[in-house]
Amino acid sequence: MPICLNAHRNDPKFNLLPIDQGGHGRHRCCGCAYDAGFKAGIVRSENLILDLDSLPESQAGVVRHKSPHAAFAQGYYDGVASYYD
Ligand SMILES: [Zn+2]
């Protein structure tokens, strides 16, 4: 599985995500999950698929052990909000 090296893994906005210490998606990059959600939100997609297995892993920065589910949901929300801006 590729490792994410994007700068978003150090974005302080991800500090607010809940901790996810176990379970499916544990080491997936929350920055990439956020971006996937944002892309779905900006077009107001009504069929949401969070494919955790498609996301790179990250143990770095502020995304370490944060919930990719919450990151996706936040990204979706922010994408929808951006649509209306
Ligand atoms: Zn990433």
Side-chain angles (χ1 to χ4, degrees), residues 18-41:
I19 299 291
D20 179 27
Q21 280 281 23
H24 195 205
R26 181 177 176 213
H27 291 147
R28 301 301 173 174
C29 177
C30 286
C32 290
Y34 176 92
D35 287 350
F38 191 93
K39 282 179 193 159

Side-chain angles (χ1 to χ4, degrees), residues 3-9 29 56-58:
I3 303 293
C4 180
L5 296 175
N6 291 318
H8 62 204
R9 70 194 196 282
C29 177
E57 296 190 338
S58 180

Side-chain angles (χ1 to χ4, degrees), residues 8 10-17 31 34-35 38 62 74 78:
H8 62 204
N10 293 312
D11 190 324
K13 75 182 172 197
F14 297 127
N15 272 322
L16 298 175
L17 293 174
Y34 176 92
D35 287 350
F38 191 93
V62 300
Q74 184 68 56
D78 288 349

Side-chain angles (χ1 to χ4, degrees), residues 27-57:
H27 291 147
R28 301 301 173 174
C29 177
C30 286
C32 290
Y34 176 92
D35 287 350
F38 191 93
K39 282 179 193 159
I42 196 94
V43 297
R44 295 187 301 157
S45 174
E46 296 168 8
N47 297 294
L48 302 179
I49 297 173
L50 172 53
D51 182 9
L52 290 174
D53 290 336
S54 73
L55 300 175
E57 296 190 338

